[in-house]
Amino acid sequence: MAEPVVRVPDAKVALSTASVYPESTATAFEVAARLGYDGVEVMVWTDPVSQDIEALRRLSDYHQVPILAVHAPCLLITQRVWSTDPWVKLQRARAAAEKLGASTVVVHPPFRWQRQYARDFVTGVWRMADETDVRFAVENMYPWRYRDREMLAYAPEWDVTKDDYRHYTVDLSHTATARTDALAMVDRMGDRLGHVHLADGRGSAKDEHLVPGRGTQPCAELLERLAVSGFDGHVVIEVNTRRAMSAAEREADLAEALAFTRLHLASSASRPSRTPGS
């Protein structure tokens, strides 16, 4: 039997429900099913459906699109979603993931003004990870910039590789905004890289979340590394389509992102396998 010439990793390609904003969570399931995504990552935010486990289960069943990850409500606009207590938010995200069959909870590091939460965050995330099979994958962030000023908004660090977590999420729009080397960050994450938010950026002070291939980030190179490393996490398309002039234009962007990802996840089987951090 001939040896395969292409190796496709086990990683599934999911659509973040944030990628259809300002459309609804329900719309994201429809689009994911229509375009052939392997699943969705639910961004828990102000849309009531995103907060409702039973509603999410019905959407998943109806569209036959599995929920692969849950993004805990960590944004400024979600400070009151699922409680004002950040630990309660994480507990509810874990419960949602367990009930929905999702393998990963994505969480941001705390804001600096959440002093007690930030003080206990690293040990608290380890403790919660020990209580479940769900991965808590902590996501890299970035400094906030305004003109020539920079504010460190996250604690303990926006660069999460400076702290000890069991699993990491790498977001390539965030590496662009941070103006940091994405592949060097992935090297530091090593085999603890458990989740990928795939988007692009040009180094703007704004978190751009461009369609992969439209910015300066090494999206293709990262995917090719994952393809030869046996990466078994999820690659989630998390892009900004707010400027789309129509539903058709939005879907074209999301179809392009999916095609780009699948193309670069398929790697020559003759290339030697190695971990992202090797």
Side-chain angles (χ1 to χ4, degrees):
M1 183 179 294
E3 291 292 323
V5 295
V6 171
R7 177 190 293 108
V8 180
D10 293 333
K12 290 183 168 60
V13 183
L15 178 66
S16 168
T17 59
S19 295
V20 304
Y21 181 83
E23 297 294 334
S24 67
T25 301
T27 299
F29 279 86
E30 295 173 15
V31 171
R34 191 155 47 239
L35 296 181
Y37 278 82
D38 297 318
V40 301
E41 174 178 299
V42 174
M43 171 67 80
V44 180
W45 65 297
T46 55
D47 180 350
V49 170
S50 73
Q51 305 169 30
D52 186 329
I53 293 173
E54 290 308 313
L56 292 169
R57 195 196 312 276
R58 288 194 296 271
L59 283 169
S60 177
D61 290 345
Y62 179 78
H63 292 288
Q64 293 295 289
V65 174
I67 297 170
L68 302 179
V70 174
H71 195 310
C74 305
L75 305 175
L76 284 173
I77 63 169
T78 60
Q79 291 297 290
R80 295 185 177 278
V81 172
W82 279 359
S83 170
T84 57
D85 183 332
W87 290 116
V88 172
K89 292 174 185 284
L90 292 193
Q91 290 163 0
R92 292 190 64 171
R94 179 188 65 192
E98 290 171 343
K99 291 176 181 176
L100 294 167
S103 64
T104 303
V105 167
V106 179
V107 57
H108 293 179
F111 294 112
R112 297 191 75 85
W113 56 84
Q114 296 174 301
R115 289 189 177 89
Q116 184 62 47
Y117 180 46
R119 188 177 303 120
D120 300 334
F121 183 69
V122 178
T123 56
V125 169
W126 270 100
R127 183 175 61 251
M128 294 189 72
D130 284 338
E131 297 170 351
T132 180
D133 291 332
V134 173
R135 293 178 174 181
F136 280 86
V138 185
E139 184 174 2
N140 63 297
M141 300 305 291
Y142 47 84
W144 290 3
R145 294 189 181 90
Y146 179 71
R147 295 182 179 174
D148 59 346
R149 297 184 179 182
E150 183 175 287
M151 183 177 94
L152 300 179
Y154 299 96
E157 292 283 350
W158 62 263
D159 179 352
V160 293
T161 64
K162 294 182 179 180
D163 290 293
D164 181 29
Y165 300 108
R166 182 172 292 170
H167 291 106
Y168 296 103
T169 296
V170 68
D171 184 306
L172 269 68
S173 178
H174 295 177
T175 57
T177 305
R179 299 169 190 167
T180 194
D181 185 325
L183 295 181
M185 177 172 282
V186 167
D187 284 342
R188 294 194 297 275
M189 291 177 174
D191 60 7
R192 295 189 184 192
L193 175 63
H195 201 68
V196 175
H197 279 171
L198 194 68
D200 217 329
R202 303 189 187 99
S204 165
K206 296 180 180 179
D207 186 17
E208 296 172 287
H209 282 274
L210 304 176
V211 170
R214 297 185 186 178
T216 61
Q217 293 304 286
C219 298
E221 293 89 338
L222 173 60
L223 292 169
E224 288 161 6
R225 283 193 183 198
L226 298 179
V228 299
S229 71
F231 178 71
D232 64 352
H234 304 314
V235 178
V236 178
I237 304 300
E238 190 182 70
V239 298
N240 183 345
T241 62
R242 278 176 285 184
R243 293 188 178 181
M245 300 300 293
S246 65
E249 185 177 332
R250 175 175 290 109
E251 287 199 26
D253 283 347
L254 297 177
E256 178 184 330
L258 178 60
F260 179 100
T261 304
R262 288 213 167 120
L263 172 66
H264 292 287
L265 271 178
S267 170
S268 167
S270 64
R271 294 176 60 184
S273 296
R274 61 187 178 93
T275 62
S278 63

